[in-house]
Amino acid sequence: MSSLVDRAKEFVAGKIAQIPKPEASLTGVSVKSLSRDSALFHSDVSVSNPYSHSLPICEISYTLKSAGRVVASGTMPDPGSLPASVVTKLEVPVKVPYNFLVSLVRDIGRDWDIDYELQVGLTIDLPIVGDFTIPLSTKGEMKLPTLSDIF
C-alpha cells in the first residue's frame, strides 16, 4: 500500500514541477532619497507572470546586509498583484538610519563605498500549488551619500 502512496506522491510532484511558474530578477541597490535621519535605498524586482490571469502577491520580504551585519530587514505585506501575461516591476524600498550607515563606513573605510548583499523573497499565491516564494539576491558595491549630500 505504501508503494501506491509513494507513486501517487511522485506523480503529483512531477505534475507540479511542470506547472509554469513566475520568474523574477532583481536589480542592484541605489539611493532613492535622503533625509536628516535616514537614507532610503531601493531595488527593483521584475516579475513575469506566465498565466492568463492576475496573481496575488502575498508579501515581499527583504534583508540588506553589509560587512556581515544586517543593515535593514522587513516585509511588505500585500503589495498588490501581477497582471496577466506581462512583466511587472515592483520597487523594494529599504529605509536605513543614517547613524547606522555612518558606523558602517567607519568600520569599512574612508571612501564611503560599502559592499552589500540584498536578499528578497517574493511570495506569490499560485493556483493549485498555494504560496510560492521566489528567492532572489544581488551583491554589489554602493557609494553612500556624504553629509554634504544631505545638507
Side-chain angles (χ1 to χ4, degrees):
M1 185 69 156
S2 68
S3 71
L4 179 62
V5 171
D6 290 339
R7 281 190 279 169
K9 285 181 185 178
E10 287 175 21
F11 176 79
V12 170
K15 290 297 181 187
I16 289 175
Q18 294 173 6
I19 292 175
K21 296 175 188 73
E23 295 182 3
S25 63
L26 184 64
T27 63
V29 176
S30 61
V31 177
K32 182 168 184 173
S33 65
L34 304 169
S35 69
R36 292 184 186 270
D37 63 344
S38 64
L40 184 61
F41 298 97
H42 85 277
S43 182
D44 289 324
V45 178
S46 294
V47 189
S48 65
N49 178 359
Y51 295 106
S52 59
H53 55 85
S54 67
L55 293 174
I57 304 171
C58 300
E59 70 177 20
I60 299 174
S61 59
Y62 61 86
T63 302
L64 179 64
K65 295 179 180 179
S66 180
R69 300 189 328 198
V70 173
V71 176
S73 65
T75 302
M76 296 170 50
D78 192 22
S81 61
L82 300 173
S85 305
V86 296
V87 175
T88 304
K89 261 195 179 164
L90 304 167
E91 182 180 0
V92 180
V94 180
K95 186 175 181 178
V96 179
Y98 206 71
N99 60 357
F100 188 84
L101 292 174
V102 171
S103 72
L104 264 181
V105 171
R106 282 192 198 128
D107 293 347
I108 295 170
R110 297 175 190 238
D111 61 359
W112 286 78
D113 288 341
I114 63 165
D115 293 326
Y116 69 84
E117 178 180 8
L118 177 63
Q119 299 170 338
V120 173
L122 177 65
T123 304
I124 300 167
D125 185 10
L126 289 179
I128 301 170
V129 176
D131 288 356
F132 175 73
T133 300
I134 302 172
L136 303 164
S137 69
T138 185
K139 293 180 180 183
E141 185 177 86
M142 140 176 64
K143 185 121 180 120
L144 291 177
T146 63
L147 290 176
S148 61
D149 293 333
I150 297 174
F151 299 107

